[in-house]
Amino acid sequence: MRDLALLPKAHLHVHLEGAMRPTTLAELAAGYGMEVPQIRGFGSFTAFADMYLAACDVLRTPDDMARLVDEVVEDAVLAGAVWVEPSFYAPHHRARLGPDEEVVDMVLDALDAAARRHGIGAGLMLAADRTVGVEDATTQAELAARYAGSGVVAFGLANDENGYPPQPFAEAFAIARSAGLLATPHAGELDGPESIRGALDVLGAKRIQHGVRAVEDPELVARLADEGICCDVCPTSNVLLSVVPSLAEHPLARLLDAGVPCSVNGDDPLLFGPGLLEEYELCRQDLGFDDARMAHIARCSIDAAGAPADLKARASAAVDDWLAAAAT
């Protein structure tokens, strides 16, 4: 078997604060005299969301944020990524770090510096929170549009799908798409195929964060394959949030067999455990994927990324080289 750490790949579904190292969480919390949040053992999305906000709360200075960004980028490199595209919702940090635009400037400066330092490509996915409301989503889309071409490459829509369908967010995504940003909403995680269909029809999604519940609708699976819509899949997250009953029953193989492009991602390693490389290794070990399939997943991630064309071309050629090398 070939070394998965050497397989070039992109990390397309990772929430910035949710990728904080546990040691960093502990150190920052201790430095501010805060109790370290309990970050595991939850069994519901609500509990997960509470833990995520607790992790945001330890980011209190620009230096804290810069440290987080640098470590997330470094971890991506250690996992073999050539591109990382973290998702970020600026309003989480208004009370501690200032207005949204200042916070985005802070993150983009740190992301550019970290990418240069570690020799990787990076872009930011600004996201709206579907539970906050349509007006805020439009504001976030306008913010993202102002940074198109200056570090922001995609616009997402996160948080609990239940009760918050895609349709009301049409204007926000139209703004983002008009600015040339990829539309990359969450769909098909906590809600079913209709959420994915709405993301495609109304939001103009070019990638779906999760999308695994498409398997409940064969016609939708065929559409994803025909249109080349990449599903940014997070296997461990899906198991721990009870989207699927077990890793062995995860529908990733069925999606790939049907021709749906899929990337594999860590989602929130701080909360769920595995990072990018560990998720690839789980696919090999628990789902039985061979090197050819792992290379295909990596290529899907590169093709679907918001990365420059020259980076994609080099990375794709490097995937060919990885697969052509002798297995050990």
Side-chain angles (χ1 to χ4, degrees):
M1 293 187 294
R2 296 164 182 83
D3 187 348
L4 289 171
L6 300 179
L7 173 60
K9 57 186 77 68
H11 203 180
L12 301 182
H13 187 164
V14 58
H15 299 270
L16 185 62
E17 302 91 341
M20 184 184 294
R21 294 172 180 171
T23 51
T24 298
L25 174 64
E27 289 173 16
L28 290 176
Y32 293 118
M34 301 166 60
E35 184 177 351
V36 176
Q38 175 62 43
I39 59 172
R40 289 191 173 82
F42 48 83
S44 71
F45 189 84
T46 300
F48 153 75
D50 289 344
M51 296 305 105
Y52 191 95
L53 291 176
C56 291
D57 196 39
V58 303
L59 297 167
R60 301 199 158 221
T61 70
D63 285 346
D64 294 342
M65 185 65 78
R67 174 181 176 177
L68 169 66
V69 171
D70 187 76
E71 291 177 353
V72 168
V73 170
E74 183 179 31
D75 288 344
V77 172
L78 293 172
V82 297
W83 175 265
V84 60
E85 201 169 297
S87 176
F88 184 68
Y89 178 61
H92 280 324
H93 303 279
R94 285 174 182 163
R96 295 173 302 279
L97 294 175
D100 293 353
E101 190 161 320
E102 290 183 14
V103 175
V104 171
D105 280 332
M106 189 184 304
V107 171
L108 286 174
D109 286 347
L111 190 63
D112 179 65
R116 292 176 185 275
R117 183 179 305 114
H118 297 291
I120 189 176
L124 191 65
M125 180 195 305
L126 284 185
D129 184 332
R130 66 203 315 150
T131 70
V132 174
V134 172
E135 184 176 344
D136 179 71
T138 302
T139 298
Q140 297 308 312
E142 291 169 345
L143 178 64
R146 289 200 294 274
Y147 287 94
S150 300
V152 173
V153 298
F155 185 66
L157 181 66
N159 214 326
D160 193 346
E161 293 168 88
N162 289 315
Y164 302 96
Q167 286 78 4
F169 302 98
E171 181 183 356
F173 275 80
I175 292 168
R177 294 195 316 273
S178 293
L181 299 175
L182 293 172
T184 55
H186 282 58
E189 179 195 20
L190 302 175
D191 201 0
E194 284 305 312
S195 178
I196 301 171
R197 192 170 286 107
L200 296 172
D201 293 342
V202 180
L203 306 186
K206 293 302 181 185
R207 288 201 329 256
I208 299 289
Q209 305 276 283
H210 292 299
V212 292
R213 292 188 60 185
V215 294
E216 299 168 19
D217 184 338
E219 290 186 1
L220 179 59
V221 171
R223 177 181 177 184
L224 292 171
D226 290 345
E227 297 182 11
I229 304 296
C230 186
C231 291
D232 296 330
V233 177
C234 306
T236 299
S237 167
N238 293 159
V239 174
L240 292 182
L241 292 180
S242 302
V243 177
V244 299
S246 69
L247 193 58
E249 298 170 85
H250 198 282
L252 176 57
R254 282 180 280 164
L255 291 169
L256 290 167
D257 289 344
V260 178
C262 294
S263 65
V264 166
N265 309 271
D267 201 353
D268 296 280
L270 172 67
L271 304 171
F272 300 125
L276 176 62
L277 179 59
E278 291 79 15
E279 292 287 358
Y280 269 69
E281 291 170 341
L282 285 170
C283 287
R284 172 186 271 171
Q285 296 163 11
D286 290 52
L287 299 180
F289 290 179
D290 63 14
D291 284 356
R293 174 150 280 190
M294 297 311 303
H296 173 71
I297 290 170
R299 197 184 308 280
C300 288
S301 72
I302 293 163
D303 290 345
D310 58 340
L311 185 152
K312 290 185 177 186
R314 292 194 304 272
S316 183
V319 172
D320 290 338
D321 293 342
W322 181 85
L323 200 53
T328 58

